[in-house]
Every structure is written in structure tokens, then in C-alpha cells.
Amino acid sequence: MTVRFCYLVSSILVLAFSTSALGQLNLARPHIDSIAREARGRVGVAAIDLKNGDTLSVRGDDHFPMQSVYKFPLALAVLDRIDAGVMRLSTMVHLNKADLPEDTWSPLRDRYPSGNVDLPLDSLLQYSVAQSDNNGCDKLFSLLGGTGVVDGFVHRLGIADMSIVATEAEMAREWSVQYRNWSTPKAMAILLQKFHSKQILSAPSTDYLWDVMVRTSTAPRRLKGMLPKETIVAHKTGSSGTNEKGIAAATNDVGIIVLPDHRTVALAVFVTDSDASDESRDEVIASVARAIWDAFSSQP
């Protein structure tokens, strides 16, 4: 067999595999569109195969309120400071009672209702990311110098389509403020890709945050809801609750899914301005994640 013939056969095989892979992803799009209609709102999706770069998106360039999803880029900014030697995971942080306001989601406050406690930075990160603690989140923003510092950090990474301008406390005071903390699905998927490929943090810090996100305990019926039980998912959720009109501004889950062949897929699913039930919105995200799982798992 000549070299030229071998090259020709090889090229045909590569083209066939690529066409098959793209075909599977193209078939997934109308299915995701159908799923999205069940949300009775607006749904945005972006997925990236972190091995070969294949992508799929639906409303991938739209703006969606992040809610607690923004605790993922916040954690990246904190760990960047740790990599720079400015902070350590063992750095002790003092929490007063004023740091632990009521009327917000805070397992940290439930554990230390009177405040006056010193905790390592490691604990604040664990509470803020794995348990989505709002008070822990705002303390981390304060330690870094405010939301603008994190916003600037993300933009320096080359992520333009993301805005971080308001704390949890500021979002809680006015419904409309949460819409100012936004991301496009594509931007979030790219940030996840950069994180996973260790373009942002050192290997130890990347591994640390990966482990924290795998232990995320909030909204288990979203990305993980319809995947095989043993599937590893490193993710961060975000939820707004509903207003007086029964509209949920944000029901989100973003993360990295490990496929059966050990390939990884970054996936961001945002649901906004939906009047569907909590269970229906969670099911939409779970169904999208399953559609992505099926499409990417079937690629050669």
C-alpha cells in the first residue's frame, strides 16, 4: 500500500468520524429545543468536549443571570491569590455576627449563629462553593476587595461575556439586581474549559477546586438528575427563587461531566424568567444534561 493511498484512506476515515460526531451533535439540537420549551422561559446551553473541542450551543450568546453560579469564578479568583502566595488555605478569617445576616441561604450561619468565630479560608471556600453559602460568598468578596476585583480577574482571563458587579446581599435587596450578574452559556463553558486545562490555576489549586465542586450538595436533580449514578460531575448551581408573579429569574447548573470513556464535557445550562415549577425547571436541566451525555458519548 503506497504512502499516498494510506494518507487518502486515513483522511477519509477522519472525515467519516468527524461527520459522524457532528451528526450526533446536530441531532441533539432539536431535542434540546424541545426540552427547553418545557421550561416556559428562556433556556441557554453550551457544551464543549474538552478533548477534541467539539461544541454545541443553544442561545449560547444570550445573557443569563448567574445567581450563585458566580461563586465558581469567585473561587477561581481566591485560589489565584493563594497561588500567588498572598493567601493560604490555612489563613484564618474572623467572622462577626454582622458577617452572618439572616434571611439568606447560609449553612455557615446555621452552624455559627452568633458569629465571633475564626475559620480557615479553606472552610469558607467549602461553604461557598459546595454548599452555596451566601454569607461565606460575600465574606470572600470582601477579602478580595469587592466584586469588581473578581470581574476584572475574569476579564483578564479573556472571558468578556460575563459580568460580576453585585454581592449576594445586594442581590437580595432588589430583584432586578441579579440580572446585572450575568454570563453567556458559551463564556461559562469556556471558563470551565480553561479551569480544567489548568490555564488558570496551579495543578494543586485546580485539583482542590475540582474536589470541592464534585462535593456540591445543592440541586442534585439538575445536571446529575438523569445521569448514571456513578457519574462524576464537578459543578456549581445557582437559584433565584420566585417573585410575586411566580417567575424564577435563575435556575442554573454549570460544570464538567466525566463520560464513560473518561472524556470530559464542560456544560452550562441556564434557565431564566420561567413560570414552571421548581421540579419542572430542574427536570429541564437534567434532560438537557442527559441529551448532551448521549450526544457526546456516542461520538467515535
Side-chain angles (χ1 to χ4, degrees):
M1 187 179 291
T2 66
V3 172
R4 182 178 179 183
F5 183 70
C6 287
Y7 177 78
L8 178 61
V9 171
S10 176
S11 297
I12 291 171
L13 288 172
V14 169
L15 178 60
F17 281 134
S18 298
T19 302
S20 174
L22 291 174
Q24 291 295 333
L25 297 186
N26 286 331
L27 287 172
R29 284 190 179 88
H31 181 37
I32 291 172
D33 284 335
S34 176
I35 294 167
R37 286 194 287 272
E38 299 298 317
R40 302 209 303 262
R42 189 159 50 91
V43 178
V45 179
I48 305 173
D49 185 319
L50 299 184
K51 182 176 182 180
N52 61 32
D54 284 346
T55 62
L56 182 152
S57 71
V58 175
R59 293 185 179 270
D61 294 315
D62 286 9
H63 293 193
F64 290 85
M66 285 188 285
Q67 272 290 339
S68 290
V69 164
Y70 80 160
K71 292 167 185 170
F72 165 57
L74 169 60
L76 291 175
V78 172
L79 290 165
D80 178 71
R81 289 284 184 91
I82 290 173
D83 284 343
V86 178
M87 299 176 173
R88 296 182 180 180
L89 286 173
S90 60
T91 298
M92 300 303 291
V93 180
H94 184 74
L95 297 172
N96 296 312
K97 187 172 178 56
D99 294 317
L100 302 169
E102 299 180 1
D103 300 324
T104 191
W105 172 257
S106 182
L108 180 60
R109 182 205 54 243
D110 295 343
R111 176 69 179 83
Y112 304 102
S114 300
N116 194 30
V117 62
D118 295 300
L119 295 175
L121 193 56
D122 171 41
S123 290
L124 282 183
L125 282 166
Q126 300 271 354
Y127 272 108
S128 298
V129 178
Q131 298 187 56
S132 207
D133 193 286
N134 292 339
N135 290 329
C137 168
D138 281 358
K139 188 64 176 182
L140 290 176
F141 274 129
S142 176
L143 291 173
L144 290 178
T147 55
V149 173
V150 181
D151 190 60
F153 168 75
V154 169
H155 291 166
R156 286 192 297 276
L157 296 175
I159 307 295
D161 293 329
M162 187 178 294
S163 175
I164 299 172
V165 299
T167 63
E168 288 284 357
E170 289 166 339
M171 285 196 288
R173 285 195 289 268
E174 172 58 48
W175 178 263
S176 64
V177 173
Q178 65 187 300
Y179 290 90
R180 296 169 58 200
N181 288 330
W182 60 265
S183 177
T184 67
K186 284 183 180 178
M188 186 58 68
I190 291 170
L191 185 62
L192 288 162
Q193 180 185 41
K194 287 177 176 287
F195 159 67
H196 184 264
S197 62
K198 297 181 173 64
Q199 296 179 49
I200 302 175
L201 304 174
S202 66
S205 289
T206 299
D207 292 343
Y208 169 84
L209 184 53
W210 172 270
D211 289 340
V212 173
M213 292 172 71
V214 167
R215 292 196 298 274
T216 290
S217 59
T218 53
R221 293 185 177 88
R222 293 184 190 171
L223 286 188
K224 299 174 68 174
M226 295 184 184
L227 301 181
K229 186 176 180 180
E230 68 278 5
T231 304
I232 296 172
V233 182
H235 64 126
K236 183 70 202 80
T237 60
S239 307
S240 66
T242 57
N243 64 12
E244 66 280 0
K245 297 179 180 179
I247 301 296
T251 308
N252 309 325
D253 205 353
V254 311
I256 298 169
I257 298 171
V258 181
L259 299 177
D261 63 0
H262 304 296
R263 282 183 299 132
T264 48
V265 175
L267 175 59
V269 187
F270 295 93
V271 180
T272 190
D273 295 338
S274 166
D275 65 357
S277 67
D278 292 349
E279 293 77 12
S280 295
R281 297 193 308 274
D282 284 357
E283 186 174 344
V284 163
I285 294 176
S287 297
V288 169
R290 183 67 205 208
I292 293 295
W293 165 279
D294 291 340
F296 282 85
S297 294
S298 63
Q299 293 182 71

